[in-house]
Amino acid sequence: MNLLAIESSCDETAVAVVRDGRTVLSDVIASQAEMHADYGGVVPEIASRKHVEVIAALCDEALSRAALCRRDMDAVAVTYAPGLIGALLVGVSFAKSAAYALGVPLIPVHHVRGHIAANYITYPDLEPPCVCLCISGGNTLIVDVRGYTDMAVLGGTRDDAAGECFDKVARVLGIGYPGGAPLDRLAQSGDSGRYPLPRAQIHGAPLDMSFSGLKTAALNLIHNARQKGEALDVPDLAASFSAAVSDTLVPRVMAASAQMGYGKVAVAGGVAANSRIRADLQLACARAGAKLYLPALSLCGDNGAMIGCQGYYEWQSGNHADADLNAYATRDLGVG
Ligand code: KG4
């Protein structure tokens, strides 16, 4: 089964052709990061306009790289939630038209479910159940993946997403946008014990997290040093910050894993590329005797392949949409 998969939930327009769920025939991405860098964050109106400009050409490119034509597509899968509403609507409207014109099913895909599916592409033998830590620019969730389309949220952030904090701290440090990857690179030569930063606990909700206090503490530290004219060691701060994020995430996903007893821990989303989090998870899983699944770095950020993979399983479970499919800025992962 050949699936044309479309992703436009934020600042990447991505289109892939995926066969039978796990074979990626093509995966093309047009990133808008440079356009938003001047503003220090994604400008929703610019994002929508850029998606409109490139989506048709990107589809042609994905088909051509897969050496297939439109008529070879058996279904069209599209991210319909969660994300920036205007950006999502571009992909959803395009996918609706494509499915209608080709006379094939339209398959709605939840963006976070797509991120989780990136693991199935990286590990062809991985099957649910597993516990998945979903960490991206907009989401931070611990998910019980009971089946390909049967999921429940076990815990999540009460405020900021992990990626959002990386981006904010990096922006104030002046190391670019999006800041997660450059901050990670700096952290690799830093001392993570140099700057004391908080790790929040939420009373009565052991699997939930909070990052806003950590973000504020890091920003205050930077501003105070600047006001006093004190030198700030940027690699040490990057390392201390990364350690605090990892110390917040890793024990919780391990507790969730122990609770569910599957012995399989997966990670998903842009922040899953973080070297400190990957290393800490490797250690924690080895200690707990759990198998760790880390998606290929190329599949951590937003891409079309993950939407094609998850779209296949949604299609198998009978999750088809009609021409009245809408986009949603927020949507429960369990709803699909
Ligand atoms: O999954 P993604 O591409 O988009 C969303 O669905 O949100 O995630 C983007 C986020 C950004 O916040 C970016 O700074 C962060 O992932 N990121 C990282 C790293 N690479 C990307 N954060 C920490 N360390 C990294 N190496």
Side-chain angles (χ1 to χ4, degrees), residues 12 111 115 136-138 163-164 166-167 178-181 184 269-271 273-274 300-302:
E12 262 105 21
H111 181 71
H115 272 305
S136 66
E164 208 177 320
F166 271 106
D167 291 340
D184 186 14
V271 185
N274 184 267
C300 287
D302 291 347

Side-chain angles (χ1 to χ4, degrees), residues 20-292:
D20 298 335
R22 303 207 187 199
T23 305
V24 180
L25 301 181
S26 66
D27 187 16
V28 291
I29 302 175
S31 175
Q32 308 172 356
E34 264 180 34
M35 282 154 222
H36 301 288
D38 286 347
Y39 305 93
V42 179
V43 182
E45 178 64 22
I46 295 177
S48 312
R49 285 169 187 267
K50 292 293 163 192
H51 288 312
V52 172
E53 281 172 23
V54 302
I55 195 160
L58 224 55
C59 268
D60 289 343
E61 176 72 21
L63 287 167
S64 137
R65 287 197 197 181
L68 293 173
C69 64
R70 294 173 194 177
R71 289 281 157 209
D72 295 322
M73 296 300 107
D74 299 302
V76 179
V78 65
T79 303
Y80 79 106
L84 299 173
I85 194 70
L88 285 165
L89 278 167
V90 177
V92 167
S93 309
F94 189 90
K96 277 188 204 178
S97 317
Y100 179 74
L102 297 173
V104 297
L106 173 67
I107 305 167
V109 178
H110 189 289
H111 181 71
V112 180
R113 286 187 177 199
H115 272 305
I116 295 170
N119 285 283
Y120 306 140
I121 301 171
T122 307
Y123 300 96
D125 57 340
L126 173 63
E127 286 178 12
C130 66
V131 165
C132 188
L133 174 65
C134 303
I135 37 178
S136 66
N139 300 280
T140 300
L141 298 168
I142 297 171
V143 180
D144 176 12
V145 186
R146 295 185 288 234
Y148 288 111
T149 57
D150 178 15
M151 305 177 202
V153 174
L154 299 170
T157 181
R158 294 282 181 101
D159 39 56
D160 298 334
E164 208 177 320
C165 293
F166 271 106
D167 291 340
K168 188 69 198 275
V169 171
R171 185 166 92 181
V172 174
L173 284 171
I175 56 175
Y177 170 83
L183 195 139
D184 186 14
R185 279 193 290 278
L186 282 168
Q188 285 165 29
S189 61
D191 170 8
S192 61
R194 169 82 182 274
Y195 294 106
L197 290 167
R199 279 89 167 137
Q201 308 261 7
I202 295 170
H203 188 67
L207 298 184
D208 279 350
M209 298 155 257
S210 166
F211 290 101
S212 66
L214 168 62
K215 182 182 76 181
T216 307
L219 298 183
N220 284 346
L221 204 145
I222 299 165
H223 292 313
N224 285 341
R226 283 182 185 156
Q227 276 160 10
K228 291 180 191 158
E230 288 170 2
L232 196 71
D233 189 304
V234 175
D236 285 356
L237 179 62
S240 303
F241 178 76
S242 304
V245 174
S246 184
D247 289 351
T248 306
L249 295 168
V250 175
R252 284 171 177 77
V253 72
M254 295 316 296
S257 171
Q259 192 178 308
M260 303 317 298
Y262 304 141
K264 288 188 272 184
V265 175
V267 197
V271 185
N274 184 267
S275 58
R276 173 73 195 230
I277 297 169
R278 287 171 95 96
D280 287 353
L281 278 168
Q282 250 147 4
L283 214 64
C285 284
R287 277 199 196 116
K291 189 148 195 283
L292 176 65

